Every structure is written in C-alpha cells, then in structure tokens.
Amino acid sequence: MLQAENIQFAYDEKTKLQFPDIHCQKGEQWLLLGQSGSGKTTLLHLLGGLMKAQEGHIKIADTDIATLSASQLDHFRGRNIGIIFQKSHFVRALTVEENLVLAQDLAGIKIDRQRIKVLLDRLNIGHKLQAKTDALSIGEQQRVAIARALVNRPKIILADEPTSALDDHNCDEVIRLLEQQAKEEAVTLLIVTHDGRLKNKFDHQIHLQKQL
Amino acid sequence: MNSLKLSWKNLTHKPLSMLLSLVLFALGVGLISMLLLLDKQVQDKFDKNLAGIDLVIGAKGSPLQLILSSMYHIDSPTGNISIKEARPFMNPKHPLIKSAIPLSIGDSHKGYRIIGTTHEYVDSLYRVNIGTGKLWVEDLEVTIGATVARELKLSIGSNFHSAHGLGTDEIMMHDDVDAFKVVGIFAESGTVVDQLILTNPQSIWKVHDHDHGGEGGGHDHGHDHGATAEHDHDDHDHEGHDHDDHEGHDHSEHATATPRKALTDEVDKEITSLLVKYRNNRDWRSLNLARNIDENTDLKAANPAYEINHLYSMMGVGTEALTTLAWIIVFVSGLSIFISLFSSLKERRYELALLRVMGASRVKVFSLIILEGLILAVLGYLIGLGLSHLGMELLAGHLKAAYQYNFTGKIFLQKELYLLAGALLIGFVAAVIPAIQASRTDISKTLTES
C-alpha cells in the first residue's frame, strides 16, 4: 500500500538526508521513531506529497506520486492521504462540521453529512458538530483532526507527532481512537513521532538515525 | 462548501478588518453613482425643455439668466420688454422667424410660476396634451401642470390668488383682485410645463394693472371688480382696446392667431421674453439675427443650445473634479483591500497550506483570495449604489424646493453597469498580488514553521 525506496532529500548541499525503505501493507499500523533532527517530518512530507524527493520512488496504492502533475498530486492527496499534524489547524471561520465538509469538497468527493456525523460520534465528539474549532480543547481538536483525516476514506493516514502536545490521558485516548478507527476503516497508518509513550503500542517500527 | 461560501465565511469571520475597505469603497462608488444620476437627470431636463427653441429674446442682461428664467424657470427674469419693442419679431410675415411666443413671468402661486403666454406654447412648442378640462380661454382662466395640480391639490374649478414675485412669500399677494380659476390640467409630460401655471398675458396685466392703480384705464378697472370673468364682461372689457374681430376670438378653438394680434396692439404693455423658432435655422441670416438684436436694439437675444452647452461645460469642471475625487477614494479603498488581504495572509498562511493538504490546487487557493476581493468590491458597490439612490431620493426634496424640478433615485443608469465593471476590476487588481502570494505558499515549509 505504501512503498518508499532509496529516498533522498537535500535542503542544500550540506544537509543531505537519506531514509530507510518503507513497505507497509494494507491495514498495517507503523510507528516511525526518531529524535528531532532525524528528518522524520521531512520524510512524512515527502510521503504525503507535500515536497518532492530528489531521489527514489514513493508508491501509494500502486501510484508513483512523482509521475503526477502538481494539480493531479493535490487531487490525489485529497483523495488518498489523510494527514494529522502535531497541532491541529482548521479553517477558523468554519465550524467542525463545515471543516469536514470542506475536506470532502476539496477532495472532490460527494458531500456526506451522515458520514461526518458517524465519524464524530465514533470519536466521542458528535456533540461538537456545530462548534467553532477555536472553542475546542487540544484533545478534542486532535480528535476532529482524526475525523478529518478519515472522512474521505483514504488509503493511508500519515500522522506527524499526533500526541506530543497532549497530556498522558489525552495521549492514550487519541492513540486508542486513532488505532481503532484505522482498523475499522482498514486504512494503513504511519505515525511519525519521538514520543516514547507510543513505543510499546505498535509492533511495526522503523527507527530513524540522527542525520543533521 | 463552494469557493464563494468559503470566501464569504473567511471575510465575515473577521468583519472589522475589512470594514474600512468596505466603507471607503461604498463611499467612492456612491459618490460616482450620485454624480451620474444628477448629471443625467439635469441634462435630461435641459434637453427635454429645449423644445426646438432657437432664440430667446428678452431684456438686456445675462444671456444664461435669460435662458434659465424663460425656458427652465429656475432663475429670475432679466427684466421686462415692451410689446412695442417685441412687436417686430411677432409679425407672422417676418422673413426669418416662424414663430415668436410671448411670455409674461413674475407672478407665482405657492412657489409655482404663473406664466402668461399663448396656446402656441403648449400646442407647437412643448406639445403637451390636456389631461382633463381645457386650455385657458378667458382672462384669469388657467391651465395647470400635472405636478402643480398634484402638489397643490388643485382641481378644475379651484380658485387661487397669485403672489407677486417668484418665491413662496405670501406677503405680496394679489388678493385684492379676482382669483384665478383652474379650467384644465395638463397630462404629465416630463417637461417644464408640469411645473407651470399657464394663462394668457392679459390676465397677468390685469392683476398688475389693478395693483398699480390701473394703467390699463379706468374702464377696464371698473368692470374687473364686478364679477369673475364672465363672457359679457370679458367682451366688454376688451372692447375698450380693439373693436375688431373680437367676438370671433372668444369662442374659437384656434385661439392662437387672435390673441397675438390683440397682444401686438397693446403697445404700452410689457412682456418678459419671446421664445423664437426660426423658419430655417441653417440660414446665415438667422445666425446674424441674434447679433443684430444685441447690437441694434435694447433687447438681448440668447441662443439656448449655446448657453446650455456653456452651462454644461461650467458644471463639467465641478463634476469632473468630484468624479476624480470619487475615483481616488475608490482607488484608495482598493489599496486598503489589498493591504487587508495581504496582512491577513500572514495569519492565514497555515490555513491555506491546510487547504492544499486537503486537496486544493494552487488555482483553487488563488481563486479563493480573488473571490474575497471581488466579494468586497460587489458588496461595496451595492452599498454605494444603495446610498446614492437613497441619497438622491432625499436630495430630490431639497432640489424640488429650490428649483421646482423633480429628481428621483428610482432610476438606474447603464453607466452604473460600467461602474460595476470598474468596481470588479479594482477588486480583482487589489486581490491579485495576495492571491498569487497565497497560491505560491510552500506547504511543507509553512507547516513546519508553526
């Protein structure tokens, strides 16, 4: 489902990053551990098609994303990749529901409010449907972010430090929900983190060496 | 969640930051639209009331004043001229002049001017139809304009006393003579006739002669007092002056020929001006006529087309300056839209990157920001247009009081469509740089910065 081979990326001459190969099968859940400076966010952005790798191939659901044009890539990302960030950001002018509708709309899929409602209920924040995102706690925001990543039924979910801003209680809760929902939707999940609290929760692990 | 809705939500999320731009835009557009409305309506009034008049002859004075007072009824007359002086031009056999219609101006009723003239004024000059009743025939009979009837609530059979002068000053009432009697009301025509009370020149003299102790002669006087203008009295009245073919005149429908003859015989009476139509206005002798009158008589001849163009060009300087100012305001508001959008990008950087993550293309992000500029422009345009048309309606009351002209804010001009195009262009230009900036957002860099 997700393959990365011989990935290299250089911000400039001196800082050349090399990454280990990744092979994730459908429905697998992977943890990518690394200290800061190991280039793990860079790798996540490369996998998500937010940046282009200078070397190597990234295949998501049998599509080599390097072959896509810029706008095809935008479209592909919206459709097939759900991304969760360390700190959730939303379009602040919109409510929780509208943010999720926007995600469907931008990906070009049919707007399905029932799906949104069901997802939020499963994440125990169905009652925040009409709230502005600014009014949510960080834990709640992260749960909305999970819903947003899942709403378009993507092939893979990439999560960049999804728990590092959360306290232990929220950390457990968010990871539990993320795991559970990914399983339910049969989505491949790749979590990039340096958060030691997650170490024992996942079987598949990749360790990134410090490179900078 | 289409782009329009998203842009709208983004704008209304922080309404204050865009308020200044919006107010400025509305102000500029409103001012321009107001000037367009005024300009259009003033020109329309002037053009409509030109009525093919080639020349106005009156007392010496400002030619523009002569035109304004005799044709548009918004200024005081330059003075009076005697029938004796005017008579040569009223000769139906004059080689150059097809018609010369006399006007007696100076009295009014509640701010509406009473004009002594002949039926030609309505029949051949303004071609106004009678709504109800008939044209004046006897002395002291009046036919009134539609606006006068409506505003003063006069109907056929109503009586009123005229006031000396053109203001609404009630002190100088001619209330010691017989009242004017309404015998007809004109249909609404959009011309100056709507605002006028028309009668024959003799009626004006009658009212005035009385005031001044009867220059017209004691005979006249005695009878006037007796009763309201009945047929016998009227006949009798006129017999004092001219015995010939008067019986025919009284009841005839082609009343234009006879009063003129009667008028031209009244050599010691005065009128205010003559509205002249040439037989052939391309004849070079016609063009010389005005100069001859100015140089060789005590009269002044003014060419309406020339004077009105002169007036336009004088007004033009003012309206041009104001229009320029208004466009500057619109331009500054465009600048303000630009600054607002540009500075909002900074705090929305992350949101924009997020949109890209969720599948929005660069074009989509570009169009979102452009839409915000356009929404502001359209909103500003609509508010501005609303203000100007509302303002015009309010101003109409003042203008009416001052000039007796009707203005309205209820018309929309084609030029206002061009104004919309201009507004959209400014909205677009103001948004284009921020939009390019937004579409170039480096997703990865923006996301790692936070």
Coordinates of all heavy atoms in Angstrom, one line a residue, chain A residues 53-131:
Chain A
A53 N 10.8 14.4 -3.5 CA 12.1 13.8 -3.3 C 13.0 13.9 -4.5 O 12.5 13.9 -5.6 CB 12.0 12.4 -2.9
Q54 N 14.3 14.2 -4.2 CA 15.2 14.3 -5.4 C 15.6 12.9 -6.0 O 15.8 12.7 -7.1 CB 16.5 15.0 -5.0 CG 16.4 16.5 -5.0 CD 16.4 17.0 -3.6 OE1 16.1 16.3 -2.6 NE2 16.6 18.3 -3.4
E55 N 15.6 11.9 -5.1 CA 15.9 10.5 -5.5 C 14.9 9.6 -4.9 O 14.2 9.8 -3.9 CB 17.3 10.1 -4.9 CG 18.4 11.0 -5.3 CD 19.1 10.4 -6.6 OE1 19.0 9.2 -6.8 OE2 19.7 11.2 -7.3
G56 N 14.8 8.4 -5.6 CA 13.9 7.4 -5.0 C 12.5 7.4 -5.5 O 12.1 8.3 -6.3
H57 N 11.7 6.4 -5.1 CA 10.4 6.3 -5.6 C 9.4 6.1 -4.4 O 9.7 5.5 -3.4 CB 10.2 5.0 -6.5 CG 11.0 5.1 -7.7 ND1 10.6 5.9 -8.8 CD2 12.2 4.6 -8.0 CE1 11.5 5.8 -9.8 NE2 12.5 5.0 -9.3
I58 N 8.3 6.8 -4.4 CA 7.3 6.6 -3.4 C 6.0 6.2 -4.1 O 5.5 6.8 -5.1 CB 7.0 8.0 -2.7 CG1 8.2 8.4 -1.9 CG2 5.8 7.8 -1.8 CD1 8.2 9.8 -1.4
K59 N 5.5 5.0 -3.7 CA 4.3 4.5 -4.3 C 3.2 4.4 -3.3 O 3.4 3.8 -2.2 CB 4.6 3.1 -4.9 CG 5.0 3.1 -6.4 CD 5.1 1.7 -6.8 CE 5.3 1.6 -8.3 NZ 5.4 0.2 -8.8
I60 N 2.1 5.0 -3.6 CA 1.0 4.8 -2.7 C -0.2 4.2 -3.5 O -0.5 4.7 -4.6 CB 0.5 6.2 -2.2 CG1 1.6 6.8 -1.3 CG2 -0.8 6.1 -1.4 CD1 1.5 8.2 -1.0
A61 N -0.7 3.1 -3.0 CA -1.7 2.3 -3.8 C -1.3 2.2 -5.2 O -2.1 2.5 -6.1 CB -3.1 3.1 -3.6
D62 N -0.1 1.8 -5.5 CA 0.4 1.5 -6.8 C 0.6 2.7 -7.7 O 0.7 2.5 -8.9 CB -0.5 0.4 -7.5 CG -0.4 -0.9 -6.7 OD1 0.6 -1.2 -6.2 OD2 -1.5 -1.6 -6.7
T63 N 0.5 3.9 -7.1 CA 0.7 5.1 -7.9 C 2.1 5.7 -7.5 O 2.3 6.0 -6.3 CB -0.4 6.1 -7.7 OG1 -1.6 5.5 -8.1 CG2 -0.2 7.3 -8.6
D64 N 3.0 5.8 -8.5 CA 4.2 6.5 -8.2 C 3.9 8.0 -8.2 O 3.6 8.6 -9.2 CB 5.2 6.2 -9.3 CG 6.6 6.8 -9.0 OD1 6.7 7.7 -8.1 OD2 7.6 6.4 -9.5
I65 N 3.9 8.6 -7.0 CA 3.5 10.0 -6.9 C 4.4 11.0 -7.6 O 4.0 12.1 -7.9 CB 3.2 10.5 -5.4 CG1 4.5 10.4 -4.7 CG2 2.2 9.6 -4.8 CD1 4.4 11.1 -3.3
A66 N 5.6 10.6 -8.0 CA 6.5 11.5 -8.7 C 6.0 11.7 -10.1 O 6.4 12.7 -10.8 CB 7.9 10.9 -8.7
T67 N 5.1 10.8 -10.6 CA 4.7 10.9 -12.0 C 3.5 11.8 -12.1 O 3.0 12.1 -13.3 CB 4.3 9.5 -12.6 OG1 3.2 9.0 -11.8 CG2 5.4 8.5 -12.5
L68 N 2.9 12.3 -11.0 CA 1.7 13.1 -11.1 C 2.1 14.6 -11.3 O 3.1 15.0 -10.8 CB 0.9 12.9 -9.8 CG 0.4 11.5 -9.4 CD1 -0.2 11.5 -8.0 CD2 -0.6 11.1 -10.5
S69 N 1.3 15.3 -12.0 CA 1.5 16.7 -12.1 C 1.1 17.4 -10.8 O 0.5 16.8 -9.9 CB 0.6 17.3 -13.3 OG -0.8 17.3 -12.8
A70 N 1.4 18.7 -10.7 CA 1.1 19.4 -9.4 C -0.3 19.3 -9.0 O -0.6 18.9 -7.9 CB 1.6 20.8 -9.5
S71 N -1.2 19.6 -10.0 CA -2.6 19.6 -9.6 C -3.2 18.2 -9.4 O -4.0 17.9 -8.6 CB -3.5 20.4 -10.6 OG -3.4 19.8 -11.9
Q72 N -2.6 17.2 -10.2 CA -3.0 15.8 -10.0 C -2.6 15.3 -8.6 O -3.3 14.6 -7.9 CB -2.3 14.9 -11.1 CG -3.0 14.9 -12.4 CD -2.2 14.1 -13.4 OE1 -1.0 14.1 -13.4 NE2 -2.9 13.6 -14.4
L73 N -1.4 15.8 -8.2 CA -0.9 15.4 -6.9 C -1.8 16.0 -5.8 O -2.1 15.2 -4.8 CB 0.5 15.9 -6.7 CG 1.2 15.5 -5.4 CD1 1.3 14.0 -5.2 CD2 2.6 16.1 -5.3
D74 N -2.2 17.2 -5.9 CA -3.1 17.9 -5.0 C -4.4 17.0 -4.8 O -4.9 16.7 -3.7 CB -3.5 19.3 -5.4 CG -2.3 20.2 -5.2 OD1 -1.5 20.0 -4.3 OD2 -2.2 21.2 -6.0
H75 N -4.9 16.6 -6.0 CA -6.1 15.9 -6.0 C -5.9 14.5 -5.4 O -6.8 14.0 -4.6 CB -6.6 15.7 -7.5 CG -8.0 15.2 -7.6 ND1 -9.1 15.8 -7.2 CD2 -8.4 14.0 -8.1 CE1 -10.1 15.1 -7.5 NE2 -9.7 13.9 -8.0
F76 N -4.8 13.9 -5.8 CA -4.5 12.5 -5.3 C -4.4 12.5 -3.7 O -4.9 11.7 -3.0 CB -3.2 12.0 -5.9 CG -2.8 10.7 -5.5 CD1 -3.3 9.5 -6.1 CD2 -1.9 10.4 -4.4 CE1 -3.0 8.3 -5.8 CE2 -1.6 9.2 -4.0 CZ -2.1 8.1 -4.7
R77 N -3.7 13.6 -3.2 CA -3.5 13.7 -1.8 C -4.8 13.8 -1.1 O -5.1 13.2 -0.1 CB -2.6 14.9 -1.5 CG -2.3 15.1 -0.1 CD -1.3 16.2 0.1 NE -1.6 17.4 -0.6 CZ -0.9 18.0 -1.5 NH1 0.3 17.4 -1.9 NH2 -1.3 19.1 -2.1
G78 N -5.7 14.7 -1.6 CA -7.0 15.0 -1.0 C -7.8 13.7 -0.9 O -8.5 13.4 0.0
R79 N -7.7 12.8 -2.0 CA -8.5 11.6 -2.1 C -7.9 10.5 -1.2 O -8.7 9.8 -0.6 CB -8.4 11.1 -3.6 CG -9.6 11.6 -4.3 CD -10.7 10.5 -4.4 NE -12.0 11.0 -4.6 CZ -12.6 11.1 -5.8 NH1 -11.9 10.8 -6.9 NH2 -13.8 11.5 -5.9
N80 N -6.6 10.3 -1.3 CA -6.0 9.0 -0.8 C -5.1 9.2 0.5 O -4.8 8.1 1.1 CB -5.1 8.4 -1.9 CG -5.9 8.1 -3.1 OD1 -6.9 7.4 -3.0 ND2 -5.5 8.7 -4.2
I81 N -4.8 10.4 0.9 CA -3.9 10.5 2.0 C -4.5 11.4 3.1 O -4.9 12.5 2.8 CB -2.5 11.2 1.6 CG1 -1.9 10.4 0.4 CG2 -1.6 11.2 2.8 CD1 -0.7 11.0 -0.2
G82 N -4.7 10.9 4.3 CA -5.1 11.7 5.4 C -3.9 12.1 6.2 O -3.1 11.2 6.5
I83 N -3.8 13.4 6.5 CA -2.6 13.8 7.3 C -3.1 14.4 8.6 O -4.0 15.2 8.7 CB -1.7 14.8 6.5 CG1 -1.3 14.1 5.2 CG2 -0.5 15.1 7.3 CD1 -0.4 15.0 4.3
I84 N -2.4 14.0 9.7 CA -2.7 14.6 11.0 C -1.4 15.2 11.5 O -0.4 14.6 11.5 CB -3.2 13.5 12.0 CG1 -4.4 12.8 11.5 CG2 -3.4 14.1 13.4 CD1 -4.7 11.5 12.3
F85 N -1.5 16.5 12.0 CA -0.3 17.2 12.4 C -0.3 17.2 13.9 O -1.2 17.0 14.7 CB -0.3 18.6 11.8 CG -0.3 18.6 10.3 CD1 -1.5 18.8 9.6 CD2 0.9 18.3 9.7 CE1 -1.4 18.8 8.2 CE2 0.9 18.3 8.3 CZ -0.3 18.5 7.6
Q86 N 0.9 17.7 14.4 CA 1.2 17.8 15.8 C 0.2 18.7 16.5 O -0.4 18.3 17.5 CB 2.6 18.3 16.0 CG 2.9 18.6 17.5 CD 4.4 19.1 17.6 OE1 5.1 19.1 16.7 NE2 4.7 19.4 18.8
K87 N 0.0 19.9 15.9 CA -1.0 20.8 16.4 C -2.1 20.9 15.3 O -1.7 21.2 14.1 CB -0.4 22.2 16.6 CG -0.3 22.5 18.1 CD 0.2 23.9 18.3 CE -0.9 24.9 18.3 NZ -0.3 26.3 18.2
S88 N -3.3 20.6 15.6 CA -4.3 20.7 14.6 C -4.6 22.1 14.2 O -4.7 23.0 15.0 CB -5.6 20.0 15.1 OG -5.3 18.8 15.6
H89 N -4.7 22.3 12.9 CA -5.2 23.6 12.4 C -6.4 23.4 11.6 O -6.5 22.4 10.9 CB -4.1 24.3 11.6 CG -3.0 24.9 12.5 ND1 -3.0 26.1 12.9 CD2 -1.9 24.3 13.0 CE1 -1.9 26.4 13.7 NE2 -1.3 25.2 13.8
F90 N -7.3 24.3 11.7 CA -8.5 24.2 11.0 C -8.8 25.6 10.3 O -8.1 26.6 10.6 CB -9.7 23.9 11.9 CG -9.5 22.6 12.6 CD1 -9.0 22.6 13.9 CD2 -9.8 21.4 12.0 CE1 -8.8 21.4 14.6 CE2 -9.6 20.2 12.7 CZ -9.1 20.2 14.0
V91 N -9.7 25.6 9.4 CA -10.2 26.9 8.9 C -11.1 27.5 10.0 O -12.1 27.0 10.3 CB -11.0 26.8 7.6 CG1 -11.5 28.1 7.1 CG2 -10.1 26.1 6.5
R92 N -10.5 28.5 10.6 CA -11.1 29.0 11.8 C -12.5 29.7 11.6 O -13.3 29.8 12.6 CB -10.2 30.0 12.5 CG -9.2 29.3 13.5 CD -8.2 30.3 14.0 NE -7.4 30.8 12.8 CZ -6.5 31.8 12.9 NH1 -6.3 32.4 14.1 NH2 -5.7 32.1 11.9
A93 N -12.7 30.1 10.4 CA -14.0 30.7 10.1 C -15.2 29.7 10.1 O -16.3 30.1 10.1 CB -14.0 31.5 8.8
L94 N -14.8 28.4 10.1 CA -15.8 27.4 9.9 C -16.0 26.6 11.1 O -15.2 26.5 12.0 CB -15.4 26.5 8.7 CG -15.1 27.1 7.4 CD1 -14.7 26.0 6.4 CD2 -16.3 27.9 6.9
T95 N -17.2 25.9 11.2 CA -17.5 25.0 12.3 C -16.8 23.7 12.1 O -16.2 23.5 11.0 CB -19.0 24.8 12.4 OG1 -19.4 24.1 11.3 CG2 -19.8 26.1 12.6
V96 N -16.9 22.8 13.1 CA -16.3 21.5 12.9 C -16.9 20.8 11.7 O -16.2 20.2 10.9 CB -16.6 20.6 14.2 CG1 -16.3 19.2 14.0 CG2 -15.8 21.2 15.4
E97 N -18.2 20.8 11.6 CA -18.8 20.1 10.5 C -18.4 20.7 9.2 O -18.1 20.0 8.2 CB -20.4 20.2 10.6 CG -21.1 19.4 9.6 CD -22.6 19.6 9.6 OE1 -23.1 20.6 10.0 OE2 -23.3 18.7 9.1
E98 N -18.4 22.1 9.1 CA -18.0 22.7 7.9 C -16.6 22.4 7.5 O -16.3 22.3 6.3 CB -18.2 24.2 8.0 CG -19.7 24.7 8.0 CD -19.8 26.1 8.4 OE1 -19.0 26.7 9.1 OE2 -20.9 26.7 8.0
N99 N -15.7 22.3 8.5 CA -14.3 21.9 8.2 C -14.2 20.5 7.5 O -13.5 20.3 6.6 CB -13.5 21.9 9.4 CG -12.7 23.2 9.6 OD1 -11.7 23.5 8.9 ND2 -13.2 24.1 10.5
L100 N -15.1 19.6 8.0 CA -15.1 18.3 7.4 C -15.7 18.2 6.1 O -15.3 17.5 5.2 CB -15.8 17.3 8.4 CG -15.0 17.1 9.7 CD1 -15.8 16.1 10.6 CD2 -13.6 16.6 9.5
V101 N -16.8 19.0 5.9 CA -17.4 19.2 4.6 C -16.4 19.7 3.6 O -16.3 19.3 2.5 CB -18.7 20.1 4.7 CG1 -19.1 20.5 3.3 CG2 -19.8 19.4 5.4
L102 N -15.7 20.7 4.1 CA -14.6 21.3 3.2 C -13.6 20.3 2.7 O -13.2 20.2 1.6 CB -13.9 22.4 4.0 CG -12.8 23.2 3.2 CD1 -13.4 24.0 2.1 CD2 -12.1 24.2 4.2
A103 N -13.3 19.3 3.7 CA -12.3 18.3 3.3 C -12.9 17.4 2.2 O -12.2 17.1 1.2 CB -11.9 17.5 4.5
Q104 N -14.1 17.1 2.3 CA -14.8 16.3 1.3 C -14.8 17.1 0.0 O -14.6 16.5 -1.1 CB -16.2 15.9 1.7 CG -16.3 15.0 2.9 CD -17.7 14.6 3.3 OE1 -18.6 15.4 3.1 NE2 -17.9 13.4 3.8
D105 N -15.2 18.3 0.1 CA -15.4 19.1 -1.1 C -14.1 19.3 -1.8 O -14.0 19.2 -3.1 CB -16.0 20.5 -0.7 CG -16.5 21.3 -1.9 OD1 -17.3 20.7 -2.6 OD2 -16.1 22.4 -2.0
L106 N -13.0 19.7 -1.1 CA -11.7 19.9 -1.7 C -11.2 18.7 -2.4 O -10.5 18.7 -3.4 CB -10.7 20.5 -0.7 CG -11.0 21.9 -0.2 CD1 -10.0 22.3 0.9 CD2 -10.9 22.9 -1.4
A107 N -11.5 17.5 -1.8 CA -11.1 16.2 -2.4 C -11.9 15.8 -3.6 O -11.6 14.9 -4.3 CB -11.1 15.1 -1.4
G108 N -13.0 16.6 -3.8 CA -13.9 16.3 -4.9 C -14.7 15.1 -4.8 O -15.2 14.5 -5.7
I109 N -15.0 14.7 -3.5 CA -16.0 13.6 -3.3 C -17.3 14.2 -2.8 O -17.4 15.3 -2.4 CB -15.4 12.6 -2.3 CG1 -15.3 13.1 -0.9 CG2 -14.1 12.0 -2.8 CD1 -15.1 12.1 0.1
K110 N -18.3 13.4 -3.0 CA -19.7 13.8 -2.7 C -19.8 14.1 -1.2 O -19.3 13.4 -0.3 CB -20.6 12.7 -3.0 CG -22.0 13.1 -3.3 CD -22.9 12.1 -4.0 CE -24.3 12.4 -4.0 NZ -25.0 12.2 -2.7
I111 N -20.4 15.2 -0.9 CA -20.6 15.6 0.5 C -21.6 14.7 1.2 O -22.7 14.4 0.7 CB -21.0 17.1 0.6 CG1 -19.9 18.0 0.2 CG2 -21.5 17.4 2.0 CD1 -20.3 19.4 -0.1
D112 N -21.1 14.1 2.3 CA -21.8 13.1 3.0 C -21.9 13.5 4.5 O -21.0 13.1 5.3 CB -21.1 11.7 2.8 CG -21.9 10.6 3.5 OD1 -22.9 10.9 4.2 OD2 -21.5 9.4 3.3
R113 N -22.9 14.2 4.9 CA -23.0 14.7 6.3 C -23.2 13.5 7.3 O -22.9 13.6 8.4 CB -24.1 15.7 6.4 CG -23.7 17.0 5.7 CD -24.8 18.1 5.8 NE -24.5 19.1 4.8 CZ -23.8 20.2 5.1 NH1 -23.3 20.4 6.4 NH2 -23.5 21.1 4.2
Q114 N -23.9 12.5 6.8 CA -24.1 11.3 7.6 C -22.8 10.7 8.1 O -22.6 10.4 9.2 CB -25.0 10.3 6.9 CG -25.5 9.1 7.7 CD -26.3 9.6 8.9 OE1 -27.0 10.6 8.8 NE2 -26.1 9.0 10.0
R115 N -21.9 10.6 7.1 CA -20.5 10.1 7.3 C -19.8 10.9 8.4 O -19.2 10.4 9.3 CB -19.8 10.1 6.0 CG -18.3 10.0 6.1 CD -17.8 8.5 6.1 NE -16.3 8.4 6.1 CZ -15.7 7.4 6.6 NH1 -16.3 6.4 7.2 NH2 -14.4 7.4 6.6
I116 N -19.9 12.2 8.3 CA -19.3 13.1 9.2 C -19.8 12.9 10.6 O -19.1 12.8 11.6 CB -19.5 14.6 8.8 CG1 -18.7 14.9 7.5 CG2 -19.1 15.6 9.9 CD1 -19.1 16.2 6.8
K117 N -21.1 12.8 10.7 CA -21.8 12.6 12.0 C -21.4 11.3 12.6 O -21.0 11.3 13.8 CB -23.3 12.6 11.7 CG -24.2 12.5 13.0 CD -24.4 13.9 13.6 CE -25.3 13.8 14.8 NZ -24.6 13.2 16.0
V118 N -21.4 10.3 11.8 CA -21.0 8.9 12.3 C -19.5 8.9 12.9 O -19.2 8.5 13.9 CB -21.2 7.9 11.2 CG1 -20.5 6.6 11.6 CG2 -22.6 7.6 11.0
L119 N -18.7 9.5 12.0 CA -17.2 9.6 12.4 C -17.0 10.3 13.7 O -16.3 9.9 14.7 CB -16.4 10.3 11.3 CG -15.7 9.4 10.3 CD1 -15.0 10.3 9.3 CD2 -14.7 8.5 11.1
L120 N -17.7 11.5 13.8 CA -17.5 12.3 15.1 C -18.1 11.6 16.3 O -17.5 11.6 17.4 CB -18.2 13.7 14.9 CG -17.4 14.6 13.9 CD1 -18.2 15.9 13.7 CD2 -16.0 15.0 14.4
D121 N -19.2 10.9 16.0 CA -19.8 10.1 17.1 C -18.8 9.0 17.6 O -18.7 8.8 18.8 CB -21.1 9.5 16.7 CG -22.3 10.5 16.8 OD1 -22.1 11.5 17.5 OD2 -23.3 10.3 16.1
R122 N -18.2 8.4 16.6 CA -17.3 7.3 17.0 C -16.1 7.8 17.7 O -15.5 7.1 18.5 CB -16.8 6.5 15.7 CG -18.0 5.6 15.2 CD -17.6 4.6 14.1 NE -16.4 4.8 13.3 CZ -16.3 4.6 12.0 NH1 -17.4 4.2 11.4 NH2 -15.2 4.8 11.4
L123 N -15.8 9.1 17.5 CA -14.6 9.7 18.2 C -15.1 10.5 19.4 O -14.4 11.2 20.0 CB -13.9 10.7 17.2 CG -13.1 10.0 16.1 CD1 -12.9 10.9 15.0 CD2 -11.8 9.4 16.6
N124 N -16.4 10.3 19.8 CA -17.0 10.9 21.0 C -17.0 12.4 21.0 O -16.9 13.0 22.0 CB -16.2 10.4 22.3 CG -16.2 8.9 22.4 OD1 -17.2 8.2 22.0 ND2 -15.1 8.3 22.9
I125 N -17.1 13.0 19.8 CA -17.2 14.4 19.8 C -18.4 14.9 18.9 O -18.4 16.0 18.3 CB -15.9 15.2 19.4 CG1 -15.3 14.4 18.2 CG2 -15.0 15.4 20.5 CD1 -14.2 15.1 17.5
G126 N -19.3 14.0 18.8 CA -20.5 14.3 17.9 C -21.2 15.5 18.4 O -21.8 16.2 17.6
H127 N -21.1 15.8 19.7 CA -21.9 17.0 20.2 C -21.2 18.3 19.8 O -21.7 19.4 20.0 CB -22.0 16.9 21.7 CG -20.7 16.8 22.4 ND1 -19.8 15.6 22.3 CD2 -20.0 17.6 23.2 CE1 -18.7 15.8 23.0 NE2 -18.8 17.0 23.5
K128 N -20.0 18.2 19.2 CA -19.2 19.5 18.9 C -19.4 19.8 17.4 O -18.7 20.6 16.9 CB -17.7 19.3 19.2 CG -17.4 19.1 20.6 CD -17.6 20.4 21.4 CE -17.1 20.2 22.8 NZ -17.3 21.4 23.6
L129 N -20.4 19.2 16.8 CA -20.6 19.3 15.3 C -20.7 20.8 14.9 O -20.0 21.2 13.9 CB -21.9 18.6 14.9 CG -22.1 18.2 13.5 CD1 -21.1 17.2 13.0 CD2 -23.5 17.7 13.3
Q130 N -21.4 21.6 15.6 CA -21.6 23.0 15.2 C -20.7 23.9 15.9 O -20.9 25.2 15.8 CB -23.1 23.4 15.5 CG -24.1 22.5 14.7 CD -23.9 22.5 13.2 OE1 -23.3 23.5 12.7 NE2 -24.2 21.5 12.5
A131 N -19.7 23.4 16.7 CA -18.8 24.3 17.4 C -17.7 24.9 16.5 O -17.4 24.3 15.5 CB -18.1 23.6 18.5

